[in-house]
């Protein structure tokens, strides 16, 4: 019975991987008319199914010192690594690689289940736990992505590549938000994973303070409609 269950589980995992491969393949085909296999640096350990899924669209880099990768997947993030990264301090090798990637405009995907501090939700002092939640939010502000799993990271990365191609073909094309009278942080969040670096707003559009912070933190350019 156990053997039958194991085979059934393995088959289910294989079916999921094949489905994800098909979806990613479709996105890849739309990226500049050709598929692209990037290089990924994995920090921490993935389970076999996750690793197989990741290998379906990227080559896993085994030499982090070279810096020759297109994006990073942080599978296991200790409380210390989260703090160092959020504070912009390269206090650990992993923090150094993550910060260098973000400074270079590369994407870093943090797996939710790998965020160590979350395990202490029931035991931690409230103020301390909230501090780590703030660190997590700070990483998002830096351009990091907190994702539910490899599938979400893969789809986001493929869309980044696709939209980067679109923008490269017409780098003057802005993301049109001219219909807004008030530009907020949530509105700018719609650019996530699109590859757009320029936003077009109306002549009288008001930009909120949080939106200004988002623009600064993500190195966006804002143009007003003539």
């Amino acid at each position: 019975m156990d053997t039958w269950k194991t085979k059934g589980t393995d088959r289910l995992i294989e079916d999921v991987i094949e489905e994800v491969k098909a979806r990613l393949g479709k996105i890849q085909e739309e990226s500049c008319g050709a598929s692209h296999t990037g290089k990924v640096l994995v920090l921490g350990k993935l389970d076999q199914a996750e690793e197989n899924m990741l290998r379906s669209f990227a080559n896993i880099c085994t030499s982090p010192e070279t810096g020759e990768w297109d994006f990073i997947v942080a599978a296991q993030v200790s409380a210390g690594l989260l703090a160092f990264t959020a504070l912009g301090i390269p206090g650990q090798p992993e923090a150094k690689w993550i910060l260098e990637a973000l400074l270079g405009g590369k994407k870093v995907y943090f797996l939710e289940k790998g965020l160590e501090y979350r395990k202490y939700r029931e035991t931690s002092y409230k103020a301390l736990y909230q501090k780590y939640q703030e660190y997590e939010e700070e990483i998002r502000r830096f351009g990091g992505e907190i994702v539910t799993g490899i599938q979400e990271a893969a789809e986001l990365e493929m869309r980044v590549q696709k939209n980067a191609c679109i923008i490269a073909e017409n780098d003057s094309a802005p993301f049109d938000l001219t219909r807004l009278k008030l530009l907020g942080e949530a509105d700018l969040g719609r650019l996530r994973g699109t590859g757009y670096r320029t936003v077009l707003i109306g002549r009288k559009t008001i930009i909120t303070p949080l939106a200004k912070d988002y623009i600064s933190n993500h190195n966006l350019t804002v143009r007003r409609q003539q």
Side-chain angles (χ1 to χ4, degrees):
M1 182 65 71
D2 289 340
T3 300
W4 181 84
K5 286 183 178 179
T6 300
K7 289 183 178 179
T9 301
D10 290 344
R11 182 58 190 169
L12 179 60
I13 292 173
E14 290 174 3
D15 289 344
V16 170
I17 292 175
E18 288 304 315
E19 180 181 349
V20 172
K21 283 183 179 180
R23 292 171 63 181
L24 294 177
K26 184 176 181 181
I27 297 174
Q28 284 181 319
E29 289 172 3
E30 296 171 350
S31 301
C32 300
S35 64
H36 168 69
T37 301
K39 292 183 179 180
V40 55
L41 172 64
V42 177
L43 303 179
K45 186 173 177 58
L46 296 170
D47 62 39
Q48 193 60 54
E50 291 174 324
E51 185 174 324
N52 290 342
M53 193 178 296
L54 189 57
R55 289 186 185 281
S56 71
F57 82 102
N59 294 320
I60 296 179
C61 178
T62 57
S63 301
E65 290 79 8
T66 64
E68 296 178 356
W69 58 78
D70 298 300
F71 63 102
I72 293 177
V73 169
Q76 295 174 321
V77 183
S78 68
L81 177 56
L82 184 70
F84 275 133
T85 304
L87 295 172
I89 301 173
Q92 296 177 358
E94 294 86 353
K96 176 177 178 291
W97 300 326
I98 290 172
L99 292 170
E100 286 178 348
L102 293 173
L103 286 169
K106 298 178 181 179
K107 299 300 292 185
V108 180
Y109 303 95
F110 298 80
L111 300 191
E112 281 187 342
K113 69 176 185 179
L115 296 173
E116 181 189 43
Y117 89 92
R118 291 192 180 189
K119 297 188 299 183
Y120 301 102
R121 182 184 182 90
E122 301 301 325
T123 59
S124 174
Y125 288 105
K126 184 177 180 180
L128 180 59
Y129 193 84
Q130 288 177 337
K131 173 58 67 175
Y132 278 95
Q133 288 180 312
E134 291 172 7
Y135 286 155
E136 186 178 328
E137 187 59 34
E138 194 71 3
I139 284 175
R140 286 192 178 95
R141 284 162 51 83
F142 290 167
E145 300 279 1
I146 311 296
V147 296
T148 56
I150 292 298
Q151 180 176 343
E152 184 182 359
E155 293 186 2
L156 283 173
E157 181 61 24
M158 288 297 96
R159 294 192 186 283
V160 166
Q161 293 177 13
K162 174 185 173 182
N163 286 289
C165 288
I166 294 173
I167 300 304
E169 291 172 357
N170 185 5
D171 58 13
S172 64
F175 191 84
D176 191 347
L177 292 174
T178 54
R179 62 182 179 79
L180 299 177
K181 294 182 179 180
L182 182 69
L183 181 66
E185 183 180 23
D187 300 310
L188 293 168
R190 293 169 53 195
L191 274 70
R192 178 188 181 207
T194 66
Y196 281 95
R197 310 302 304 168
T198 302
V199 179
L200 180 65
I201 61 175
R203 285 182 295 174
K204 297 182 179 180
T205 299
I206 298 172
I207 305 175
T208 68
L210 286 178
K212 290 180 179 179
D213 288 343
Y214 189 99
I215 290 166
S216 176
N217 291 331
H218 290 79
N219 295 317
L220 300 179
T221 299
V222 176
R223 287 166 42 193
R224 288 193 180 272
Q225 197 174 35
Q226 299 298 317

